[in-house]
Amino acid sequence: MRARWGLLALVAAVAVAENGLSGWLRYAPLPDGQRQQYASSLPSHIVALNSTSTSPVYTAGQELQDGIQRILGRKLKISQEHSAWTSFNSSFVLVGTLSAYDKLGSQNLSTDLVPDGFWLNIKGGAVTIVGQNGRGALYGAFEYLSRIAQGNFADADIVSNPDAPIRWVNEWDNMDGTIERGYAGRSIFFANGSVATDLTRVSQYARLLASVRINGIVVNNVNANPRMLTNETIAGLKRIADSMRPYGVRVGISLNFASPGPDGLKETATFDPLDPTVIAWWEAKTNQIYQQIPDWAGYLVKANSEGQPGPLTYNRTLADGANLFARALRPHGGIIMFRAFVYNSNMNPAVWKDDRANAAYDFFKELDGEFLDNVIVQIKYGPIDFQVREPASPLFAHLPNTNAAIELQITQEYLGQQDHLVYTPPLWKTILDFDMRVGGKPSLVRDIVSGQRFNRTLGGYAGVVNVGTNPNWLGSHLAMSNLYAYGRLAWDPTGDVQSLLQDWIRLTFGSEPSVVKVITDISMASWPAYENYTGNLGIQTLTDILYTHFGPCPQCQENRWGQWTRADKSTIGMDRTVSNGTGNSGQYPPEVAAVFENLETTPDNLLLWFHHVNYTHRLHSGKTVIQHFYDAHYDGAAAAQTFVPAWQSLQGKVDGARFDDVLFKLRFQAGHALVWRDAVAGYYYNLSGIADEASRVGHHPYRIEAESMALSGGYRPVAVDPFEAASNSTAIVVGSGPNNNGSGEAATVLDFPLGTYDIAVGYFDVAGGRAHYGAFLNGEPLHEWYGDLEDHLGHEFSTKLDAHSATRITIPNVDVKRGDVLKIIGLADGNEGAPLDYVAILPKGVVD
Ligand code: GCU
């Protein structure tokens, strides 16, 4: 049945395929001109002051050798001998730790290096890289390579120290090989209930992480399996730690709080954190781990949250719970990251004063000072859950006597699941640069988590990543900029997000100016666009939080999970004021609280986070709330359309494989941004009855609804639920059930003047079937395609007709005249009844 109309061209793969496996560490050869220009000022040897193959200094030597060879075409010899360096001329790269360097007696380094920090001195071909420790030496080597890979051969003398000691990633991998909120294939760490046998990808991942100065990883899901602590798994974890050690990445795991008890490994009668048998169990288990993995990083714990067990079960405090692990880890120098993501996920939206956003403060504020020194409270950046915009979590302001870390999400769970381009560092910056004004003094979130503001020695960053077996790690080439920038910001949160992005672009795609410009432009435009078409004014990402977290579902908000909008026919927004609402604004220190309490001083972009207002309320911009919704959705979706031609302008400047992959995703995003626009704008228009001043919402002059076409064969109209997911709330499908193999035809006579048009087809692509479509004009085939996005995209798929499965394709440049007959033939497959929503006949430049 496939290619039944013979239109699916077999395209030979011509360009050298780049699959993204090396990420930003491609070390592509510099152009010949540049290579020659610098040939005379290059190092001639590498001296790596450590010969142990598991040492990051050794790795640095190998990495320098490999990188320089690939970038500059010259293979340098490596020597590990301390004495060897004196016999070379001055033109060599020396890399080592501070103590090894001191032993050379060459010169005293007067710079202040803190752990992981490095000194990099470049004088022509004489390059000195000294790390405070081995990890720092490796980071310095990567910094040097990053410079020359970008064609930067300038002399330099820099000391670089980390802003915070904890710079970790959290993977949400399950032992069966699936990944919670993973959009890039299966786990690289686990398969079939055990640690994976082949850990090649794990060490490749460690290399990427080290290059952006990440020093720790938690390899399993926060919703943790007690079997992470069996002898067999610990032996597997040792192998993971061995694979990552040469890159200075220390390994830890998420714990299930009830692991020893009756619902876990059944080795104790309880999991009460104060019970002596439980304490002894965790001590012994921790000792066992350290015996096998002496540089073990520690633990991460999600307790009493979303159904996970925790100390509250026994009326113990969360601090009692955290300290249980802290005591077991302390003798070994390990740390415990204890998540502040604790809330009641059984709330009642009818209770006006209830608010999930209050939970972290309510649970943790009073515990300040009760956590041991090796506990770090890990706080999600906002009070709810990785939404497209949130204020900074108020909890950051209230733990002056506790170590704190910020949890960011590189995984785009609520931000398009790596099938929409969203460069997230500008969002993170709104939080990191936010001033809490604790005690009336400057108190930036970044200075709180670094430990500087409250004089804490521990603190930092945890980034949820969820890489998978997909060769390009995140399932999206462009999404890798988020991982790159995450590491760099964790090192230096004052970094400029656009220059970090451009470093990443040059390393990943080359330095051709138009390549740098286009990827910069679309990436920097992407978060504002996504916010515009998904959820404005602080209303959050208006997705279906009970299901996929992917597409729009503005009507799915008010449920027990607490991400509420409180929208009704005339009003919208959470009243979080102290005077009349949930009191959340009062959780901020007084200066900030005053700003958020007051409607007038609350910034427009957080208005509906803090206030419940009429749709006709006027913003500082002068627009009403509802008109802002409409305009923003149209603007955001329009911006997403521009990403496609912008990327297409790079054809021939980016290798074919990555060019095609990115283009496919951007086209999908352009179509799905329209699904978002129409669902959200349509929903609030329907609810409020307030017309769009520009008369766009609900008007689609270029569309022909599938249900109004002439239907034959098996096609019949169906009402789509939620109604806002389909144009005119109705689609057509063929047959029903799981083994659907019917077919149908939908035809229409076009009434458009002679011209060249783009023909867009709105349809649904559900999981579990690959329907086959053909479009014909006057009986001549125009295009054929399959409903097989699940084979090409990574987001969570829906099994129903809804706004997660709604999508569209565009057939460009079709010559049309009045009276032409457009026909779509649909062949059902599996449970996919070749669902069609509409066709749109679009004059050039029109988006409908
Ligand atoms: C979100 C996410 C869950 C995850 C949770 C967490 O709610 O959807 O999958 O377990 O956050 O961070 O613990």
Side-chain angles (χ1 to χ4, degrees):
M1 253 341 228
R2 285 189 99 78
R4 165 181 159 136
W5 296 290
L7 297 175
L8 291 178
L10 286 175
V11 183
V14 274
V16 181
E18 287 224 34
N19 60 8
L21 187 65
S22 325
W24 52 85
L25 296 178
R26 287 161 65 240
Y27 299 142
L30 284 180
D32 284 347
Q34 241 173 338
R35 281 182 173 206
Q36 278 151 17
Q37 189 183 350
Y38 293 102
S40 58
S41 55
L42 288 181
S44 57
H45 289 81
I46 296 164
V47 180
L49 299 175
N50 196 317
S51 55
T52 315
S53 64
T54 53
S55 123
V57 174
Y58 179 88
T59 309
Q62 303 295 314
E63 197 69 31
L64 285 163
Q65 184 184 49
D66 180 50
I68 292 172
Q69 183 177 13
R70 290 207 270 152
I71 298 165
L72 298 164
R74 191 187 284 184
K75 180 157 187 177
L76 308 189
K77 283 212 176 76
I78 309 180
S79 166
Q80 267 99 29
E81 295 303 315
H82 286 212
S83 56
W85 73 282
T86 45
S87 58
F88 301 141
N89 60 27
S90 61
S91 159
F92 59 90
V93 190
L94 176 85
V95 61
T97 58
L98 193 53
S99 61
Y101 183 76
D102 280 348
K103 279 190 205 132
L104 298 181
S106 54
Q107 46 179 293
N108 285 329
L109 248 188
S110 56
T111 47
D112 289 331
L113 288 178
V114 306
D116 295 357
F118 62 87
W119 172 57
L120 170 64
N121 185 279
I122 307 171
K123 280 197 198 104
V127 180
T128 313
I129 303 166
V130 178
Q132 195 275 352
N133 52 20
R135 211 180 276 126
L138 178 58
Y139 297 167
F142 276 121
E143 172 63 27
Y144 172 65
L145 287 168
S146 166
R147 287 171 182 233
I148 62 172
Q150 296 180 62
N152 172 4
F153 291 86
D155 283 358
D157 186 24
I158 60 161
V159 171
S160 189
N161 280 317
D163 198 59
I166 296 168
R167 302 178 309 278
W168 285 20
V169 290
N170 293 175
E171 313 292 321
W172 286 357
D173 294 36
N174 297 313
M175 294 185 72
D176 65 2
T178 60
I179 305 177
E180 177 144 346
R181 315 298 175 191
Y183 311 111
R186 309 276 296 182
S187 172
I188 61 171
F189 298 96
F190 302 97
N192 308 315
S194 306
V195 170
T197 319
D198 180 357
L199 296 178
T200 311
R201 290 291 298 272
V202 171
S203 48
Q204 289 167 338
Y205 186 40
R207 176 174 174 252
L208 282 173
L209 294 176
S211 74
V212 290
R213 308 169 196 174
I214 298 294
N215 60 3
I217 182 169
V218 172
V219 293
N220 66 307
N221 194 352
V222 284
N223 301 313
N225 187 331
R227 295 198 47 251
M228 284 301 297
L229 293 163
T230 63
N231 296 344
E232 186 214 330
T233 312
I234 293 170
L237 292 169
K238 177 181 182 321
R239 288 193 295 109
I240 292 181
D242 290 345
S243 309
M244 304 194 102
R245 184 169 300 109
Y247 298 94
V249 180
R250 293 170 70 183
V251 175
I253 54 170
S254 293
L255 297 180
N256 181 303
F257 199 89
S259 295
D263 295 332
L265 300 176
K266 304 187 193 331
E267 294 179 16
T268 57
T270 165
F271 60 89
D272 178 350
L274 300 192
D275 182 280
T277 62
V278 172
I279 295 171
W281 191 90
W282 282 109
E283 265 178 24
K285 196 46 88 177
T286 305
N287 293 346
Q288 181 192 346
I289 293 175
Y290 275 95
Q291 209 172 16
Q292 297 189 42
I293 312 167
D295 56 355
W296 183 247
Y299 300 134
L300 169 65
V301 174
K302 171 178 179 177
N304 291 113
S305 170
E306 300 184 333
Q308 293 300 315
L312 302 181
T313 312
Y314 296 96
N315 283 328
R316 310 300 187 193
T317 70
L318 293 166
D320 291 334
N323 291 341
L324 165 71
F325 307 112
R327 287 198 184 89
L329 288 160
R330 196 161 45 178
H332 307 282
I335 60 175
I336 155 95
M337 307 291 287
F338 198 82
R339 294 179 92 215
F341 187 64
V342 180
Y343 70 101
N344 170 8
S345 49
N346 275 305
M347 298 180 89
N348 179 357
V351 182
W352 183 256
K353 299 262 179 191
D354 274 3
D355 188 1
R356 168 174 166 185
N358 285 347
Y361 169 103
D362 286 348
F363 277 108
F364 283 85
K365 181 184 183 304
E366 61 178 22
L367 299 176
D368 184 39
E370 292 184 21
F371 295 96
L372 293 176
D373 275 352
N374 58 334
V375 176
I376 296 97
V377 173
Q378 179 169 316
I379 307 168
K380 284 194 184 184
Y381 61 77
I384 298 268
D385 195 6
F386 302 138
Q387 298 299 293
V388 70
R389 189 181 290 271
E390 298 189 38
S393 169
L395 184 60
F396 289 115
H398 297 287
L399 299 177
N401 303 301
T402 304
N403 304 315
I406 187 168
E407 184 173 311
L408 301 171
Q409 205 184 34
I410 291 94
T411 299
Q412 296 171 227
E413 177 183 350
Y414 291 94
L415 302 177
Q417 305 185 350
Q418 287 115 256
D419 286 335
H420 287 233
L421 167 64
V422 183
Y423 179 57
T424 42
L427 155 63
W428 302 337
K429 275 290 228 183
T430 65
I431 307 290
L432 294 171
D433 293 347
F434 187 77
D435 189 350
M436 287 284 180
R437 307 293 306 163
V438 179
K441 296 199 190 113
S443 311
L444 306 188
V445 170
R446 63 174 196 246
D447 294 333
I448 294 172
V449 300
S450 71
Q452 287 155 34
R453 175 64 181 84
F454 298 132
N455 292 320
R456 308 293 312 172
T457 48
L458 277 178
Y461 293 76
V464 178
V465 186
N466 298 351
V467 296
T469 48
N470 187 312
N472 69 28
W473 302 98
L474 288 174
S476 154
H477 297 289
L478 295 187
M480 289 291 276
S481 58
N482 291 326
L483 179 55
Y484 179 86
Y486 165 71
R488 299 301 304 271
L489 284 174
W491 183 268
D492 175 10
T494 65
D496 174 62
V497 292
Q498 178 162 317
S499 23
L500 291 176
L501 171 70
Q502 292 185 328
D503 284 349
W504 172 81
I505 297 169
R506 285 186 287 264
L507 295 168
T508 308
F509 290 104
S511 299
E512 212 277 320
S514 60
V515 171
V516 177
K517 179 169 181 350
V518 164
I519 303 177
T520 302
D521 289 349
I522 63 176
S523 300
M524 292 305 291
S526 62
W527 172 55
Y530 191 81
E531 180 180 30
N532 273 340
Y533 64 75
T534 62
N536 326 122
L537 305 175
I539 199 67
Q540 309 169 99
T541 315
L542 291 167
T543 190
D544 185 344
I545 68 160
L546 297 180
Y547 192 31
T548 64
H549 296 192
F550 179 63
C553 192
Q555 63 176 269
C556 303
Q557 306 305 309
E558 323 303 299
N559 53 55
R560 71 182 179 90
W561 296 88
Q563 285 176 222
W564 302 328
T565 62
R566 296 208 194 281
D568 61 21
K569 70 180 180 30
S570 48
T571 56
I572 186 167
M574 282 291 288
D575 186 339
R576 293 194 158 106
T577 62
V578 174
S579 59
N580 184 51
T582 70
N584 178 262
S585 67
Q587 292 190 342
Y588 291 85
E591 284 179 51
V592 177
V595 171
F596 290 152
E597 176 74 11
N598 184 337
L599 193 57
E600 286 309 308
T601 50
T602 302
D604 283 352
N605 59 26
L606 286 172
L607 180 82
L608 301 179
W609 182 279
F610 284 109
H611 299 279
H612 184 74
V613 297
N614 288 322
Y615 291 111
T616 51
H617 171 81
R618 278 205 190 271
L619 305 168
H620 296 115
S621 69
K623 285 184 187 178
T624 62
V625 165
I626 191 76
Q627 192 58 41
H628 180 97
F629 263 43
Y630 297 151
D631 291 349
H633 279 81
Y634 275 79
D635 288 352
Q641 310 308 304
T642 67
F643 298 168
V644 174
W647 181 259
Q648 282 173 314
S649 74
L650 300 183
Q651 184 149 28
K653 295 177 179 170
V654 169
D655 58 282
R658 289 189 300 169
F659 178 83
D660 289 347
D661 282 355
V662 172
L663 182 59
F664 188 86
K665 291 216 170 212
L666 292 176
R667 281 185 168 143
F668 170 79
Q669 178 176 11
H672 201 233
L674 297 173
V675 172
W676 269 99
R677 179 196 75 179
D678 294 345
V680 177
Y683 176 77
Y684 288 106
Y685 172 45
N686 189 274
L687 187 64
S688 68
I690 302 173
D692 166 25
E693 284 165 10
S695 302
R696 297 157 299 188
V697 180
H699 295 115
H700 298 290
Y702 300 92
R703 288 189 189 176
I704 301 162
E705 296 297 336
E707 62 276 16
S708 45
M709 293 167 77
L711 306 184
S712 56
Y715 265 136
R716 64 188 164 79
V718 287
V720 171
D721 179 20
F723 73 87
E724 67 271 17
S727 202
N728 195 36
S729 310
T730 313
I732 59 169
V733 295
V734 173
S736 63
N739 299 309
N740 196 346
N741 60 4
S743 65
E745 295 187 12
T748 186
V749 178
L750 299 180
D751 186 17
F752 290 84
L754 180 70
T756 303
Y757 295 81
D758 290 345
I759 297 186
V761 182
Y763 67 107
F764 297 83
D765 192 329
V766 299
R770 285 153 186 83
H772 190 177
Y773 300 88
F776 299 80
L777 194 65
N778 301 326
E780 292 296 316
L782 275 182
H783 188 64
E784 73 177 297
W785 73 99
Y786 291 92
D788 61 355
L789 288 177
E790 60 268 54
D791 301 331
H792 304 284
L793 296 175
H795 68 262
E796 189 164 337
F797 274 78
S798 165
T799 55
K800 306 178 298 191
L801 303 195
D802 55 26
H804 316 300
S805 58
T807 184
R808 87 178 203 171
I809 59 150
T810 301
I811 309 164
N813 303 323
V814 181
D815 291 330
V816 164
K817 60 179 181 328
R818 246 181 250 290
D820 280 351
V821 177
L822 177 67
K823 183 170 72 182
I824 311 284
I825 300 183
L827 306 180
D829 176 65
N831 67 343
E832 195 167 69
L836 269 185
D837 189 3
Y838 63 87
V839 293
I841 315 299
L842 303 167
K844 281 288 159 205
V846 168
V847 178
D848 183 16

